[in-house]
Amino acid sequence: MAQEASSSTSSKTISLKTGDGEIFEIEASAAKQMKTVQRLIDDLGDDITIPLHNVFSKELPKIIEYYKKDITGEITKDFEAEFVKDLNDDEVKVLFLAANYLDANKLFEFLSQNIADRLESKSVEYVRKYFGVENDFTPEEESKLREERAWSFRGIKEDE
Amino acid sequence: MEETTSVSYNQNYSGSPITNIPQDYIFTIILLLPIDAILSLSVTCKRFKAITSSDTLWKSLCKRDLGSTCVDSLLKSCNNFNQFSWMKLYKQVYQIDSVCCHKLSYPHGDLDFPKARASHSLNFVSDCLVLFGGGCDGGRHLDDTWVAYIGNDFPRILKWKTVHSGIPSGRFGHTCVEMGDLLVLFGGINDHGNRQNDTWIGKVTHNENKGITFSWKMLDVGNIAPPPRGAHAACCIDDKRMVIHGGIGLHGLRLGDTWILELSDSHCFGTWHEIAIHPSPPPRSGHTLTCIGRNRTILFGGRGLGYEVLHDLWLLESCQGYMRWIQVLYDLQNIPDGVSLPRVGHTATMVLGGRLLIYGGEDSSRHRKNDFWILDISSFPSTTASSKRVLTRIWKRWKSNGYEPKSRSFHRACVDPSGRHLYVFGGMVDGLVQAVEPSGLGFDKELFLVELVLQL
């Protein structure tokens, strides 16, 4: 996926190295949208390959795809729908955490909404699994809590 | 693949990945969730219970779902700050399932109040009730404007003040829509049967010397205006735009067109343009259009071309720069008492908690009604369309306590900024002791209040 090296500074590319050792290229203007990357560029210079310890080769291309579309000013509702269409819940979560780490605000907000959409009408057990949290209530505490909170339950989807 | 990713996770994150995210970011997701999902989240573990119990979070949720104006108004009415909890308030609002009606009276001996009428306009703007026009005994039109100062709390005793008469010209079946601090009046029919299509802007002024006054000014709309009509429906889309639909036009023909008025910044000029989109609601009169927030409007009921009483629901919304009508389908059969839902000459107003309150009107058997139906707007699927919520229980009938108003149609209603107080005036009611007309129908001059009760 080598990009053409350009001599003009406006389309300069930055090299990013994932936690599992792979290198990806991204246009400098797209890299700027991710504040963590920009800070690393400011510290290390833009000729060096920027190391991203907490982002991996599975998700970085997807993130680069999003910001590549963003700098051409073309992110539509259709693009966003298409972007998440084939991603399962875990993949969205991974992207969300990566966007958080990279301080990539636009992607982060979009993914927040997508996670919220996916969690609508799901059961408590599903939400626990999704966030990877352990139930630390006693059975009595939990059933009391469920009763107190029951006033808003409209209808739970079948767990997928 | 997947396994590699999770193995890599364990190498680089200690504990659950979610615990590495700052609380603020979790709030970002929480504020995008519907209430039942937030409460599900609160039952997952102690940490999430603590996060979702934050009173600051619930204040944001109240602002999100009830609106800032409403929240400010509720704060002002609060008597007991020590025991006040935003979460408890939210729950209370959510669980309201009835209204309480109060008859409003005029100062003892006061003879200066609006006479009985129907198909007038009634609005709440700048802390005041404003009433204009309508039809009265003998099929005559009225051209008087009345104002009553209300302020923050509902008064048991109300003082109307007549403003002036003659401008705009007398009419009934016109629409008058609140847009910010202004009222925008359009169309109507006069007692010669002439349909109008003039547009007027009205404004309340609080004057130190003269007290409260109201003035009307005709809006300059240029050459293009919708065909003349009455008994159409109208509401605002945002601060600058108003939409109208249908009504009875020339030669008594029922219309099905949709027009949008856009006001200039100065409010002196306006431009009308027609939206010809398909599908769109079939022709009708005596229906309602209500703004439900986020630039969306809802159309309900009315009387169609075949003189039948309708119950269809249509949503008008903006999608990527253009407007479209979407029919909201529901099964009348599945709703208890659903057979009484089709309505004409009813009122539909947004009240506290994202609900459309539908009151009165005439049903399919030509009976005037006195019931309260709620359409739960918050159950509607959002336009992001990824939500697969099923439209269960979107219609609910609410009980009414307190004063029992007469059944009526072609009355008018408006709500104050708190969303808890609905003012209703006039309309056609069944004749009681003395039949006013052979059919036993009469014009009413009752003003009453419908309250959504909260313990604050």
Side-chain angles (χ1 to χ4, degrees):
Chain A
M1 259 192 74
Q3 296 210 352
E4 297 159 327
S6 170
S7 50
S8 127
T9 39
S10 60
S11 50
K12 187 176 169 61
T13 61
I14 307 280
S15 298
L16 302 174
K17 183 168 174 191
T18 64
D20 50 343
E22 278 194 48
I23 297 188
F24 296 93
E25 305 284 326
I26 184 176
E27 270 129 74
S29 46
K32 254 215 309 230
Q33 305 299 327
M34 301 184 266
K35 300 211 191 86
T36 305
V37 175
Q38 189 56 51
R39 277 195 288 270
L40 287 168
I41 293 175
D42 292 341
D43 288 343
L44 304 171
D46 53 11
D47 288 323
I48 294 193
T49 303
I50 306 289
L52 300 174
H53 298 303
N54 284 336
V55 185
F56 299 88
S57 51
K58 190 155 194 276
E59 59 265 21
L60 189 57
K62 207 70 176 140
I63 296 175
I64 291 177
E65 179 195 328
Y66 187 87
Y67 278 103
K68 205 162 141 179
K69 196 81 167 137
D70 183 44
I71 55 175
T72 58
E74 275 174 43
I75 298 203
T76 58
K77 286 265 178 268
D78 286 339
F79 171 77
E80 285 184 335
E82 198 55 39
F83 188 81
V84 290
K85 199 170 69 145
D86 295 322
L87 298 177
N88 65 30
D89 287 344
D90 277 323
E91 286 163 334
V92 173
K93 217 179 5 167
V94 166
L95 277 173
F96 173 78
L97 292 169
N100 169 37
Y101 171 77
L102 293 170
D103 208 347
N105 198 43
K106 204 156 173 176
L107 181 63
F108 182 79
E109 281 183 6
F110 163 52
L111 292 171
S112 300
Q113 181 64 64
N114 194 250
I115 291 181
D117 293 342
R118 284 167 195 251
L119 288 176
E120 260 187 56
S121 303
K122 291 296 201 336
S123 68
V124 173
E125 287 74 23
Y126 187 97
V127 177
R128 272 189 193 125
K129 245 189 0 201
Y130 188 90
F131 284 113
V133 296
E134 290 293 323
N135 179 9
D136 51 358
F137 291 119
T138 67
E140 297 79 32
E141 284 173 341
E142 184 180 336
S143 81
K144 179 159 178 274
L145 210 50
R146 277 181 189 256
E147 222 182 279
E148 281 173 13
R149 305 286 197 260
W151 53 269
S152 82
F153 292 140
R154 286 181 210 235
I156 307 289
K157 268 202 288 230
E158 287 298 304
D159 281 355
E160 278 151 42
Chain B
M1 302 207 337
E2 285 270 358
E3 283 175 21
T4 320
T5 313
S6 43
V7 164
S8 313
Y9 251 175
N10 291 335
Q11 286 173 348
N12 294 288
Y13 290 95
S14 50
S16 152
I18 216 70
T19 58
N20 293 328
I21 298 185
Q23 190 154 307
D24 285 347
Y25 289 173
I26 306 232
F27 272 9
T28 310
I29 298 182
I30 293 182
L31 286 171
L32 296 168
L33 287 170
I35 292 297
D36 51 358
I38 298 176
L39 295 180
S40 285
L41 192 63
S42 73
V43 178
T44 53
C45 64
K46 290 185 177 163
R47 182 163 182 265
F48 274 142
K49 178 182 176 229
I51 292 177
T52 56
S53 302
S54 142
D55 216 38
T56 324
L57 172 69
W58 283 93
K59 184 174 179 181
S60 298
L61 288 171
C62 284
K63 283 199 172 157
R64 181 191 81 176
D65 295 345
L66 308 177
S68 295
T69 325
C70 207
V71 165
D72 291 338
S73 167
L74 287 170
L75 267 175
K76 280 196 204 133
S77 312
C78 177
N79 295 321
N80 191 349
F81 271 112
N82 292 334
Q83 293 189 11
F84 187 80
S85 129
W86 286 105
M87 183 168 166
K88 277 205 200 121
L89 178 75
Y90 194 106
K91 179 177 173 184
Q92 238 201 98
V93 170
Y94 194 94
Q95 291 182 312
I96 296 176
D97 64 353
S98 63
V99 293
C100 190
C101 295
H102 310 269
K103 189 163 166 50
L104 293 175
S105 53
Y106 304 136
H108 185 66
D110 189 8
L111 296 169
D112 207 17
F113 49 81
K115 66 188 280 186
R117 65 191 69 202
S119 296
H120 48 285
S121 60
L122 182 73
N123 298 96
F124 196 104
V125 68
S126 304
D127 292 337
C128 297
L129 276 182
V130 179
L131 172 74
F132 170 74
C136 63
D137 276 341
R140 308 294 328 278
H141 65 231
L142 294 161
D143 61 7
D144 48 350
T145 305
W146 295 77
V147 183
Y149 177 75
I150 301 286
N152 283 325
D153 275 318
F154 73 84
R156 298 258 176 196
I157 298 183
L158 199 121
K159 177 94 189 84
W160 284 108
K161 178 178 160 177
T162 181
V163 175
H164 54 244
S165 302
I167 295 170
S169 58
R171 64 193 70 201
F172 49 87
H174 52 284
T175 52
C176 195
V177 162
E178 294 104 341
M179 269 168 68
D181 287 336
L182 305 174
L183 292 183
V184 183
L185 183 150
F186 174 76
I189 308 176
N190 72 12
D191 53 20
H192 296 300
N194 293 335
R195 278 73 166 147
Q196 328 272 34
N197 65 348
D198 46 350
T199 315
W200 294 78
I201 302 279
K203 204 172 155 75
V204 170
T205 5
H206 295 256
N207 197 301
E208 259 184 55
N209 299 326
K210 290 192 244 169
I212 298 193
T213 56
F214 192 87
S215 57
W216 290 105
K217 189 170 143 190
M218 192 188 272
L219 185 70
D220 179 354
V221 298
N223 291 328
I224 301 180
R229 67 194 67 207
H232 52 285
C235 72
C236 72
I237 299 176
D238 53 35
D239 290 354
K240 284 262 141 29
R241 294 177 298 162
M242 175 176 92
V243 55
I244 70 159
H245 174 275
I248 302 180
L250 294 172
H251 314 303
L253 221 72
R254 282 187 170 79
L255 306 165
D257 50 351
T258 311
W259 288 75
I260 301 224
L261 173 73
E262 191 150 352
L263 285 186
S264 68
D265 288 333
S266 63
H267 306 138
C268 296
F269 305 100
T271 339
W272 280 105
H273 67 272
E274 182 174 5
I275 315 191
I277 40 178
H278 299 284
S280 72
R284 65 192 68 207
S285 65
H287 51 303
T288 52
L289 262 176
T290 318
C291 180
I292 58 171
R294 285 188 279 149
N295 297 355
R296 299 177 305 166
T297 64
I298 280 252
L299 180 149
F300 173 66
R303 195 184 291 284
L305 280 173
Y307 222 64
E308 74 283 19
V309 181
L310 306 163
H311 66 272
D312 46 347
L313 265 179
W314 292 77
L315 189 66
L316 180 70
E317 60 177 19
S318 188
C319 183
Q320 292 182 334
Y322 61 91
M323 310 230 59
R324 61 178 184 176
W325 280 110
I326 302 177
Q327 186 169 7
V328 179
L329 295 162
Y330 63 95
D331 194 356
L332 207 57
Q333 255 63 347
N334 281 341
I335 301 172
D337 290 325
V339 68
S340 82
L341 255 184
R343 288 295 154 101
V344 58
H346 54 282
T347 49
T349 331
M350 278 307 279
V351 298
L352 186 65
R355 297 151 166 136
L356 189 68
L357 179 62
I358 289 165
Y359 168 68
E362 222 178 275
D363 66 9
S364 307
S365 329
R366 314 215 63 185
H367 292 141
R368 256 158 299 283
K369 308 297 291 185
N370 190 26
D371 54 0
F372 295 89
W373 281 91
I374 289 283
L375 181 67
D376 187 0
I377 300 293
S378 52
S379 296
F380 275 30
S382 64
T383 50
T384 53
S386 53
S387 168
K388 298 185 207 93
R389 310 198 112 196
V390 176
L391 288 181
T392 53
R393 299 177 288 148
I394 63 170
W395 285 107
K396 271 183 218 154
R397 199 181 212 160
W398 273 8
K399 303 190 303 282
S400 154
N401 304 312
Y403 172 70
E404 192 178 333
K406 303 183 206 98
S407 303
R408 65 195 63 224
S409 60
F410 297 97
H411 53 287
R412 292 300 185 247
C414 62
V415 72
D416 77 353
S418 76
R420 291 195 293 143
H421 307 125
L422 184 81
Y423 293 86
V424 182
F425 179 80
M428 315 269 309
V429 297
D430 300 322
L432 295 171
V433 180
Q434 7 157 270
V436 178
E437 286 176 18
S439 60
L441 206 54
F443 292 93
D444 193 66
K445 62 178 186 295
E446 187 170 66
L447 176 71
F448 63 94
L449 180 75
V450 179
E451 186 194 2
L452 276 70
V453 181
L454 277 183
Q455 315 290 352
L456 283 176

